[in-house]
Amino acid sequence: MEKYVSLRDIEQAALALLSKTARDYYKSGATDEQTLAENKLAFQRLRIRPKCLVGVERCNLHTTVLGVDVSMPVGISPTAMQRMAHPDGELANVKAAQEEGTVFTLSTIATSSIEEVAEAAPLATKWFQLYIYNDREVTKKLVQRAVKAGFKAIVLTVDTPLFGLRRADIRNKFTLPSHLRLANFDGLLSTKIQSTDSGSGLNKYVEELFDKSLTWNEVKWLKSITTLPIIAKGVLRGDDAVKAVEAGCSAILVSNHGARQLDGVAASIEALPEIVEALKNYNVEVYLDGGVSTGTDVFKALALGAKMVFVGRPALWGLTVGGQAGVQRMLNIFRTELQYTLQIAGTPTTADITKDMVRHESSYFLRK
Amino acid sequence: MEKYVSLRDIEQAALALLSKTARDYYKSGATDEQTLAENKLAFQRLRIRPKCLVGVERCNLHTTVLGVDVSMPVGISPTAMQRMAHPDGELANVKAAQEEGTVFTLSTIATSSIEEVAEAAPLATKWFQLYIYNDREVTKKLVQRAVKAGFKAIVLTVDTPLFGLRRADIRNKFTLPSHLRLANFDGLLSTKIQSTDSGSGLNKYVEELFDKSLTWNEVKWLKSITTLPIIAKGVLRGDDAVKAVEAGCSAILVSNHGARQLDGVAASIEALPEIVEALKNYNVEVYLDGGVSTGTDVFKALALGAKMVFVGRPALWGLTVGGQAGVQRMLNIFRTELQYTLQIAGTPTTADITKDMVRHESSYFLRK
Amino acid sequence: MEKYVSLRDIEQAALALLSKTARDYYKSGATDEQTLAENKLAFQRLRIRPKCLVGVERCNLHTTVLGVDVSMPVGISPTAMQRMAHPDGELANVKAAQEEGTVFTLSTIATSSIEEVAEAAPLATKWFQLYIYNDREVTKKLVQRAVKAGFKAIVLTVDTPLFGLRRADIRNKFTLPSHLRLANFDGLLSTKIQSTDSGSGLNKYVEELFDKSLTWNEVKWLKSITTLPIIAKGVLRGDDAVKAVEAGCSAILVSNHGARQLDGVAASIEALPEIVEALKNYNVEVYLDGGVSTGTDVFKALALGAKMVFVGRPALWGLTVGGQAGVQRMLNIFRTELQYTLQIAGTPTTADITKDMVRHESSYFLRK
Amino acid sequence: MEKYVSLRDIEQAALALLSKTARDYYKSGATDEQTLAENKLAFQRLRIRPKCLVGVERCNLHTTVLGVDVSMPVGISPTAMQRMAHPDGELANVKAAQEEGTVFTLSTIATSSIEEVAEAAPLATKWFQLYIYNDREVTKKLVQRAVKAGFKAIVLTVDTPLFGLRRADIRNKFTLPSHLRLANFDGLLSTKIQSTDSGSGLNKYVEELFDKSLTWNEVKWLKSITTLPIIAKGVLRGDDAVKAVEAGCSAILVSNHGARQLDGVAASIEALPEIVEALKNYNVEVYLDGGVSTGTDVFKALALGAKMVFVGRPALWGLTVGGQAGVQRMLNIFRTELQYTLQIAGTPTTADITKDMVRHESSYFLRK
Ligand SMILES: Cc1cc2nc3c(=O)[nH]c(=O)nc-3n(C[C@H](O)[C@H](O)[C@H](O)COP(=O)(O)O)c2cc1C
Ligand SMILES: Cc1cc2nc3c(=O)[nH]c(=O)nc-3n(C[C@H](O)[C@H](O)[C@H](O)COP(=O)(O)O)c2cc1C
Ligand SMILES: Cc1cc2nc3c(=O)[nH]c(=O)nc-3n(C[C@H](O)[C@H](O)[C@H](O)COP(=O)(O)O)c2cc1C
Ligand SMILES: Cc1cc2nc3c(=O)[nH]c(=O)nc-3n(C[C@H](O)[C@H](O)[C@H](O)COP(=O)(O)O)c2cc1C
């Protein structure tokens, strides 16, 4: 794995290895993919303002999320159907997270089950990402199994009444390869996604099965069936963040779903400050995912108020190039880059990162 | 038609099919074509701010224009001489509009007559686009025939004292193929455009026949000969919008004529807010055309105050690739994309789209 | 000439025809040529705001400069050594100006003499561009000859204590071809530029002969030897414009010398408003040159307060492709484009062009 | 050397001559190299506002730094291991500085020793750049040798608790060629950098030997062992500049270490105004390095408050193409370009360059 020096190295190698269908599914964004590009470009519009000679020998990347210690503020976002990337799929991913001391989030529509994941990495901090199905019994059972398997939080995805239009999936008539199944389900729910008459099999699956009538009241229902903390994933507005918290969420994951839901929305790093501001009088944590590609991106998100960042595709690229080892390499590239950043920026611990450490490029342009 | 997944697919296929003269005529903008590019780029500078968990099961794209129900807020702008794109020309186009439940606008200089169009699609909502000729009797007759044929509004194009300089047409010495005629006219007026000694035959036609002395008083004259509502097409300034309305117009179509008249003018989506603002105390509708290419573009225009958007070239591309079916495919791509947008943005009906749903990108850049 | 539909057509044809030395000399800007590009880009950042239905049948491009009627507000800036472009050089250029009814400005370092130019086009409005030599007698004689030959103004170039660094000229060891001479001079002054030991022969010529100690007092000296109006060419700051006028200048030509003097200065169209503003209480005319390439550029300059614009390189390209006829074609492209612009913008005469007709693109971006 | 007309010419020739390892080491910036590009782009966003007719015959480039006269405000920043560029390395560089009458700064980790450098150019103004080692005796000895050898200032690099992540060096497993040594050290300290098991040998060297616990108190310690003025190199924030000065520094070198330490920081020219502003009530000098590539860049830095600028890579490129002569050519290109700039900008001496001579491009964009 040593030959991979940057995330981009891993990504390029992975794109060359994957089948067209899997590659397109993993990398696509919604429609014109403008936001997909913006998720990265927006980080580049921020400038770090390093401090000198502060004494950085005590550099330390640890932080906590929801009270649990993690070795660094970079965790793994839920991504569906990981066995298309590597035979070990979610199991390799969660083992990497365990080894590297960070959070792994399992997708509802994973190709490994809640129980398999728990067994593969009993010591990892595991979160369960939830889609709410029309059938509430199905939904309830998922939550109960996650609780039982030792998952530590429910990540409720709130931006997905249906799946975004991803043109490549439509062109490819995306289906799950027949040797794989949605492992958290039985019967039709586990195999339905394996066929389609036209368009993306995934979109049809979601269109039929996910509940479109959801409102923030659902959080209350969720809280009535579990005591796990609930994280609202997919919030892009300050007012929605307040609604989430007032409905009972313990944290907000600012996210545009990797630019896969609606093209033309803000980059998640652009949306972050509005949400941090709206929640300043609430005692909750704010996270971010979307386009995080370097240690300096992590730093910028933290400076703008995120407690932790998550990565989706980077873990898929790591999985593809080397299973567990590939994901660990990816995480360690982030770790090294962040460590360098903390030291050279003069903020040896994540707690030292204050808001003034980052400024928008336009604040330089517009100075008279 | 199923292979066309995006408007761009249809456009590319159409450009490959058309003759050079027709292709150049359809796609050109004025002189350097800067505004032609801006019409699209300006949409990309707007950000959608989606709301989560609002309950979107009741998603519905219907709206009304001038009191008439349409199945979605995307209609068809007038474009001249459509039989160069497909033998059925305007007839295929209006039938598609009828089938899809939206507005069709017939150009004065069409290659199918008012009566042919009315007969082809008796149930469609049809509007007639009017150029005012030096010869007012000719002009009056056009309006009277449109009324008689059941057209529901007069779209008065106000940005065309002469036709814009389109270099390709000059180079191609553009003329109408000899098997086609301007079907709304008899004799010379219907065939004059078929020849030119130098430069564009179209420009010469307009230069000689259109009335350059027009002022807003013309609207009063028009109202004296018809009771149909009048829509001013081509307004780009707030003060002009007010003049139009005070002269008796029922609606404004914010448009730069597909960037074909004057290069260097604002993108129509950039001009829209000024006009909406200027008309806020008038009870009129505002529409937009120019560069609308995706469902998110439609959404952005509605959020900035348009009641409906129109597309010009997209219908020409649809016509070219498949006649009526091609136009329907084009409309259905918009329909699907808008449906996804409404649901994921958390505004299940067009009435839910409020101004705060969209923000200019610079509002993110400049926040301290 | 009819095949040339835009200025760019003429430019491209000319670039292909010229020898490397002449081509490089004509097209170069100073050092990195950033301002050379900005001169054009800055026009593209301005938006025209057309008015509809104002009655444009009385469209008319005439204007006056310093009290003299011209057929359109586009004149010819001084450029040196025009016989490198075409054997007829300045004579063809001035005849074109005469034919087209606009101003021709003769460079001090022309390859045709004051007298030859006057004889070639007795009816043209001719201005003489002056460089002040260390030898004041030489300088004085130039002015006196211009007066005698019927030139109507002295264009005093104020931005040239030495010539800008143009790397191509240094690499080419630029010299004037030996069959040509600086026709306004005798003896060494007319041939010195024909040789160089290293670097650009032109730069050495200027370095040795031009007076670097000039101040605004020179204008007073000039006024003591001639009653012709004096135009200060090369002003880029409001305070300098005021100094020029207070020293006795009748007009200001806002110019960065075609980006040939100092790289990194503002585009001339960017500098224009500051100068118009600074002079608002003085009764003087303001002109502009630099990067004017289309009729809409002319319009934008007029809207920002210029009374007239001038073009330098465009006349050289015209000369190259067709001598007098080429320059006329170039002027007529501007004329046509401006005529279209005036009509479609709803300002049928140049006097109708008010400040609100143009807005900077950022005024659209930054609207909340 | 005459064929090199611009710095870019020299750079391109040098890049072609160097071995891959040396080339990559010299040109790299940290991680994604965004700031590396910004260091140059930011200069291009500034506009010079030239004044006309001020009398520039007395043009003169001299200035003083820390009370010493230099022939122009362009000096040489410290860069490590210059013998990879040319066998004469630092000795050629310092001789060029002596010949051209400007400052040479010797790196701690040079391939020529303090004493060799002093002997090669006894009359040059020499500064010694200091890295503080864990071993304070080693550090102290360096300073004492510099004092003894006649160096005139200590340039304390404050941005380097460890070396930035430069991916090419990691890929190349960068080591110093075995015929070279870090000439300021004996034994292991001089050869350690010649080998690496994995990654960059340079990074490992620094990681082990440099003191990460440094604070601004170190300046006081330094002052206790030398009376030489101390220049803090690597400051990018106003508050840090104040800390440096209050700790006893005599000058600040605004620098992002040639974009080699932390990617995503501001261009040094963007950071400059904040530091000048913060120090306006202190009697200290401010310098700048990073991306300075033309005479107009020098001018812009001076207008924004720098007393002098320094160049790092340009000297390496000069060394590569021609040893001492190459560095002199590079310096003379800057000299010529600056001389032209001063004259054409109407500020014949560096003392004439006032703040109003430069404006940010956005001040033109946003003017209403
Ligand atoms: C292939 C793929 C599948 C995804 N599946 C899910 C999912 O099942 N549930 C979910 O909440 N988010 C899902 N996401 C979104 C991710 O959780 C995350 O928000 C996104 O990938 C972050 O952006 P990044 O990929 O740029 O790091 C998926 C993203 C990708 C790329
Ligand atoms: C080929 C073509 C012909 C057009 N003909 C007319 C016309 O006859 N009358 C009119 O008012 N507008 C005409 N327009 C302008 C359109 O009504 C409409 O404003 C424009 O096409 C919208 O931009 P879009 O093409 O980007 O959707 C024409 C546009 C094109 C592209
Ligand atoms: C080849 C060339 C020669 C020039 N010679 C002179 C000159 O002799 N005197 C002068 O005042 N300006 C001279 N200029 C500047 C022009 O007068 C004018 O300011 C400039 O060309 C305008 O920019 P444009 O070329 O983009 O239209 C010259 C410009 C060029 C391109
Ligand atoms: C190859 C190289 C080696 C460098 N070595 C040192 C060094 O030893 N000490 C130091 O303080 N700065 C060092 N620097 C930074 C330079 O002093 C200077 O800040 C930088 O090169 C300025 O940017 P420029 O290269 O764009 O002119 C080095 C830079 C380069 C490119």
Side-chain angles (χ1 to χ4, degrees), chain D residues 167-244:
Chain D
R167 289 175 184 153
D169 291 350
I170 299 174
R171 290 198 177 96
N172 295 339
K173 304 200 184 206
F174 176 84
T175 53
L176 187 62
S178 58
H179 68 286
L180 298 178
R181 43 189 275 284
L182 297 192
N184 286 322
F185 300 92
D186 298 322
L188 189 61
L189 283 182
S190 72
T191 56
K192 192 176 164 45
I193 211 166
Q194 285 170 358
S195 69
T196 177
D197 40 354
S198 74
S200 160
L202 184 58
N203 283 52
K204 284 185 207 298
Y205 177 91
V206 170
E207 178 86 30
E208 283 176 40
L209 298 173
F210 285 14
D211 185 348
K212 292 186 171 191
S213 70
L214 302 182
T215 67
W216 289 106
N217 287 326
E218 243 59 39
V219 176
K220 289 166 195 161
W221 172 73
L222 257 188
K223 289 185 78 79
S224 77
I225 61 169
T226 179
T227 57
L228 286 186
I230 297 166
I231 301 162
K233 172 173 186 284
V235 171
L236 288 172
R237 298 170 56 119
D239 50 6
D240 268 4
V242 169
K243 278 182 199 151

Side-chain angles (χ1 to χ4, degrees), chain A residues 33-70:
Chain A
E33 303 191 336
Q34 187 197 346
T35 297
L36 188 62
E38 286 294 328
N39 266 356
K40 297 196 175 184
L41 291 173
F43 277 108
Q44 294 176 21
R45 291 192 286 258
L46 299 172
R47 299 277 178 274
I48 299 175
R49 306 180 61 235
K51 292 191 284 200
C52 300
L53 297 195
V54 302
V56 298
E57 72 286 8
R58 64 196 162 90
C59 178
N60 181 334
L61 275 65
H62 276 253
T63 190
T64 62
V65 263
L66 296 177
V68 174
D69 187 76
V70 285

Side-chain angles (χ1 to χ4, degrees), chain C residues 233-253:
Chain C
K233 173 173 186 284
V235 171
L236 289 172
R237 300 170 56 119
D239 50 7
D240 267 4
V242 169
K243 279 182 200 152
V245 172
E246 302 210 322
C249 292
S250 303
I252 300 292
L253 175 38

Side-chain angles (χ1 to χ4, degrees), chain B residues 32 34 158 163 167 171 198 203 212-216 237 240 261 263-265 274 360 362 366, chain C residues 2 8-9 44 47-53 55-57 294 296 337 340 343-344 356 365-367:
Chain B
D32 279 342
Q34 187 197 346
V158 297
F163 264 27
R167 291 175 182 151
R171 291 200 176 93
S198 74
N203 282 52
K212 291 187 172 190
S213 71
L214 301 181
T215 67
W216 289 106
R237 298 170 57 120
D240 267 3
Q261 285 297 92
D263 200 35
V265 305
E274 168 179 345
H360 193 274
S362 63
L366 298 169
Chain C
E2 211 188 305
R8 199 174 306 158
D9 295 344
Q44 294 177 20
R47 299 277 178 274
I48 298 176
R49 307 180 60 236
K51 292 191 284 199
C52 300
L53 298 195
V56 298
E57 72 286 9
T294 62
T296 52
E337 288 181 355
Y340 272 73
Q343 292 184 69
I344 304 180
D356 70 304
F365 291 12
L366 297 170
R367 195 183 36 226

Side-chain angles (χ1 to χ4, degrees), chain C residues 32 34 38 45 158-159 161-165 167 170-171 198 203 212-216 234 236-237 240 261-266 270 273-274 360 362 366, chain D residues 2-3 5-6 8-9 44-57 294 296 300 336-337 340-341 343-345 356-357 359 364-367:
Chain C
D32 279 341
Q34 188 196 345
E38 286 295 327
R45 292 192 287 257
V158 296
D159 60 9
L162 77 179
F163 265 26
L165 262 181
R167 290 176 184 151
I170 299 173
R171 290 199 177 93
S198 73
N203 283 52
K212 292 186 169 190
S213 71
L214 302 182
T215 68
W216 289 105
L236 289 172
R237 300 170 56 119
D240 267 4
Q261 285 296 92
L262 185 57
D263 200 35
V265 305
E270 285 182 336
E274 167 180 346
H360 193 273
S362 63
L366 297 170
Chain D
E2 211 188 307
K3 69 179 163 182
V5 166
S6 70
R8 200 175 304 158
D9 294 345
Q44 294 176 20
R45 292 192 287 257
L46 299 172
R47 299 278 178 274
I48 299 176
R49 307 179 61 235
K51 292 191 283 199
C52 300
L53 298 195
V54 302
V56 298
E57 71 287 8
T294 61
T296 52
K300 289 168 180 178
T336 303
E337 289 181 354
Y340 272 73
T341 304
Q343 293 183 68
I344 303 180
D356 70 303
M357 296 304 298
R359 204 185 259 179
Y364 292 100
F365 292 11
L366 298 170
R367 195 183 33 227

Side-chain angles (χ1 to χ4, degrees), chain B residues 27 36 44-45 56 74 77 93 147 174 179 183 189 203 217 231 238-239 241 250 258 268 304 325 335 347 351 356:
Chain B
K27 77 176 167 67
L36 188 62
Q44 294 176 21
R45 292 192 286 258
V56 298
V74 182
S77 267
N93 208 343
V147 173
F174 176 85
H179 69 286
L189 283 181
N203 282 52
N217 287 327
I231 301 162
D239 50 7
S250 303
S268 50
L304 294 184
R335 189 187 305 282
T347 52
D356 70 304

